[in-house]
């Protein structure tokens, strides 16, 4: 198919809800390491990584070799039979899980991983109420949307009984109008207020992203999660860390984003970067929580040999190449340069994130902090013209998300920053 035939077929044959970033959809035809190429053969430096999914570079040879070998050996039998790829991955996850004896349940997406986490929390506690955070994103199923605190991603009748929302830790736009640290992390106390005023007092749990991804890489202060996790447990609930974006070393040095806060969760969920683009969802839980799911449950494709062999190869590669450390050091290098850009371009109101998960919140001016969604769209187009791919997010659509593969170098960052600087300058002109 030609580029135009692809765009036309997409327009005519896909649900219009399948949206694209650009005025003219960007048709990509191949990718390698940190680069992708469009239908005309033009190269782009990919600093969005397929929405934080290409964790070890496009077409990683080590991951692909494992997948190629597996495809010719055993492709699918379903989870009613035991296979080595699923067992080996579960063993590996248990090794790096937040606590001893953790068990895994595999599905095909982050949405399903979160569904299972909520189910496990409800089975374990016997309660049904769940606390989520405003500005969160937890998936696209009925439950996923109901847990999502962002109107843009709640289609149809997305509200479900038993889910209530606390304020998030959005320091740049504090929901209480306070300033950190004199605020004494007031937002964390809101979780207690919500439990006491909107639930029976005993809850099944709380689900939260260590850094809110779709919400625009909103990064809570360091005390936030230890306060919140204690409140949740004091009310009988389990604490679920949605690591779909923050897992696998992305935030630097640690496997799980929640470890940056010194908190041990009861359940973690993963997807995206775990298998470098092969569909996978992971719900991992401490043994008591996992064992409480007593009735039979099944995911036909979950735990399949191809995606689990890929995921194991990804984790091995991250370990072998010390990529969590690279996320910290190259991430710090990137952060320094983004802060330099902030001093140069008034449109950058906030720079935030951890490791190789960094964001720029764009504003009309740094004093009013009025969101700049139109300018953000313009910047996305300019970045494309300058040969870099970035992501967009935030409730107002005014946050640029930067999340390259974990094995990028400082030289890649230099090229990226040069192109981003030029894109910002061309937008301002
Ligand atoms: C934090 C978080 N949780 C869950 C999901 C849902 O994952 P999936 O799209 O694989 O269903 C996403 C997707 O963006 C996410 O960012």
């Amino acid at each position: 198919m030609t580029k135009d035939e692809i765009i036309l077929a997409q327009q005519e044959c896909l649900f219009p809800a399948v949206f694209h970033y650009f005025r003219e959809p960007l048709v990509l035809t191949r990718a390698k390491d940190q680069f992708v190429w469009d239908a005309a053969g033009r190269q782009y430096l990919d600093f969005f990584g397929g929405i934080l999914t290409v964790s070890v570079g496009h077409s990683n040879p080590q991951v692909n070799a494992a997948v190629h070998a597996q495809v010719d050996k055993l492709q699918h039998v379903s989870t009613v039979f035991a296979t080595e790829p699923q067992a080996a991955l579960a063993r590996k996850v248990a090794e790096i899980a937040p606590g001893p004896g953790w068990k895994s349940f595999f599905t095909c997406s982050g949405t399903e991983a979160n569904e299972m986490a909520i189910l496990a929390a409800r089975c374990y506690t016997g309660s049904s109420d769940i606390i989520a955070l405003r500005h969160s994103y937890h998936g696209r199923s009925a439950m996923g949307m109901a847990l999502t605190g962002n109107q843009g991603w709640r289609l149809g009748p997305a509200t479900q009984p038993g889910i209530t929302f606390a304020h998030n830790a959005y320091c740049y736009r504090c929901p209480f109008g306070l300033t950190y640290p004199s605020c004494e992390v007031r937002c964390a106390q809101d979780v207690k207020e919500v439990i006491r005023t909107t639930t029976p007092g005993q809850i099944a749990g709380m689900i939260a992203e260590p850094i809110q991804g779709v919400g625009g890489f909103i990064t809570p202060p360091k005390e936030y999660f230890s306060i919140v996790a204690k409140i949740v447990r004091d009310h009988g609930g389990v604490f679920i860390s949605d690591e779909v974006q923050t897992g696998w070393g992305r935030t630097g040095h640690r496997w799980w984003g929640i470890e940056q806060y010194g908190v041990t969760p009861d359940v973690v969920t993963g997807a995206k970067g775990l298998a470098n683009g092969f569909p996978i969802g992971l719900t991992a839980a401490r043994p008591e929580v996992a064992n409480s799911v007593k009735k039979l449950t099944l995911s036909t494709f979950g735990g399949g040999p191809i995606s689990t062999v890929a995921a194991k190869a990804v984790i091995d590669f991250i370990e072998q190449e010390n990529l969590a450390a690279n996320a910290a050091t190259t991430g710090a290098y990137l952060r320094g340069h983004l802060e330099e850009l902030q001093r140069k371009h008034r449109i950058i109101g906030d720079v935030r994130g951890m490791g190789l998960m960094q964001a720029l919140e764009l504003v009309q001016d740094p004093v009013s902090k009025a969101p700049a969604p139109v300018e953000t769209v313009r910047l996305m187009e300019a970045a494309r013209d300058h040969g870099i791919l970035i992501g967009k997010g935030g409730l107002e659509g005014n946050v640029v998300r930067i999340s390259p593969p974990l094995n990028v170098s400082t030289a890649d960052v230099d090229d990226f920053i040069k192109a981003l600087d030029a894109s910002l300058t061309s937008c301002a002109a």
Side-chain angles (χ1 to χ4, degrees):
M1 291 170 92
T2 64
K3 180 194 84 172
D4 292 337
E5 284 168 344
I6 294 169
I7 293 172
L8 189 65
Q10 290 236 148
Q11 281 165 354
E12 290 183 353
C13 307
L14 288 182
F15 275 34
V18 180
F19 81 107
H20 298 280
Y21 266 154
F22 303 109
R23 220 172 11 245
E24 181 187 318
L26 178 56
V27 178
L28 297 177
T29 52
R30 76 191 166 90
K32 185 80 189 99
D33 303 328
Q34 66 276 47
F35 299 110
V36 299
W37 285 268
D38 70 14
R42 183 153 188 252
Q43 177 180 296
Y44 301 83
L45 180 58
D46 183 3
F47 262 49
F48 196 33
I51 321 185
L52 298 91
T53 298
V54 181
S55 47
V56 293
H58 290 278
S59 293
N60 180 291
Q62 202 164 306
V63 175
N64 285 8
V67 168
H68 288 149
Q70 190 61 48
V71 168
D72 288 333
K73 198 167 152 196
L74 180 72
Q75 193 198 339
H76 175 80
V77 286
S78 91
T79 48
V80 299
F81 303 99
T83 66
E84 180 178 340
Q86 174 169 242
L89 178 60
R91 185 65 81 201
K92 188 75 205 174
V93 171
E95 218 179 86
I96 63 175
W102 278 45
K103 301 187 181 188
S104 290
F105 187 88
F106 296 111
T107 48
C108 300
S109 66
T111 300
E112 291 170 86
N114 285 335
E115 291 266 355
M116 186 59 180
I118 300 298
L119 177 68
R122 288 176 169 165
C123 288
Y124 177 66
T125 60
S127 300
S128 61
D129 286 77
I130 297 286
I131 312 299
L133 288 175
R134 298 182 186 191
H135 298 250
S136 63
Y137 182 87
H138 296 294
R140 56 165 302 282
S141 62
M143 166 74 79
M145 289 190 291
L147 294 168
T148 291
N150 180 331
Q151 63 169 17
W153 299 103
R154 289 171 66 101
L155 286 78
T159 304
Q160 286 189 6
I163 297 172
T164 44
F165 289 87
H167 280 294
N168 64 341
Y170 195 173
C171 294
Y172 184 62
R173 299 182 188 278
C174 175
F176 302 97
L178 301 173
T179 306
Y180 178 81
S182 59
C183 62
E184 296 180 347
V185 203
R186 168 75 183 79
C187 52
Q189 297 303 333
D190 191 51
V191 173
K192 190 189 228 170
E193 183 79 6
V194 167
I195 293 173
R196 296 179 65 202
T197 56
T198 67
T199 78
Q202 284 293 109
I203 60 169
M206 173 170 179
I207 184 165
E209 303 153 85
I211 297 175
Q212 292 184 312
V214 172
F217 292 2
I218 297 170
T219 310
K222 59 184 186 311
E223 309 87 339
Y224 176 78
F225 282 112
S226 52
I227 302 171
V228 156
K230 179 168 184 328
I231 293 170
V232 168
R233 287 172 179 145
D234 285 350
H235 293 83
V238 299
F239 181 71
I240 302 163
S241 184
D242 179 339
E243 300 274 352
V244 168
Q245 296 208 10
T246 49
W248 320 111
R250 164 92 27 211
T251 59
H253 288 310
R254 308 263 185 264
W255 284 111
W256 312 101
I258 197 67
E259 288 180 274
Q260 308 287 358
Y261 294 88
V263 166
T264 304
D266 302 290
V267 182
V268 292
T269 58
K272 290 194 187 293
L274 170 55
N276 212 42
F278 291 91
I280 195 161
L282 161 72
T283 310
R286 63 182 170 86
E288 301 78 12
V289 178
N291 295 343
S292 71
V293 184
K294 293 209 189 302
K295 286 197 176 174
L296 300 180
T297 185
L298 163 86
S299 168
T300 300
F301 298 119
I306 307 301
S307 54
T308 50
V309 95
K312 171 78 167 43
V314 167
I315 297 175
D316 289 345
F317 190 84
I318 291 171
E319 249 177 356
Q320 173 197 313
E321 302 294 320
N322 216 358
L323 295 187
N326 188 56
T329 49
T330 308
Y333 184 77
L334 169 65
R335 175 61 171 262
H337 282 285
L338 292 175
E339 285 170 1
E340 258 174 45
L341 288 185
Q342 185 184 24
R343 289 190 279 278
K344 180 169 172 190
H345 299 278
R346 277 173 59 82
I347 194 169
I348 303 176
D350 193 28
V351 183
R352 57 179 179 250
M354 280 187 204
L356 282 171
M357 186 172 181
Q358 299 288 336
L360 307 176
E361 177 153 354
L362 303 189
V363 292
Q364 306 288 339
D365 68 84
V367 179
S368 77
K369 295 186 184 176
V374 175
E375 293 79 358
T376 308
V377 170
R378 221 183 290 147
L379 178 64
M380 299 288 292
E381 296 283 349
R384 172 186 178 165
D385 293 344
H386 285 89
I388 52 170
L389 299 187
I390 50 180
K392 192 156 78 78
L395 190 63
E396 306 289 344
N398 67 321
V399 181
V400 170
R401 293 195 284 163
I402 302 163
S403 52
L406 301 180
N407 50 349
V408 288
S409 66
T410 51
D412 295 318
V413 171
D414 290 340
D415 291 343
F416 172 76
I417 291 291
K418 207 164 142 209
L420 184 61
D421 188 15
S423 308
L424 284 157
T425 302
S426 71
C427 279

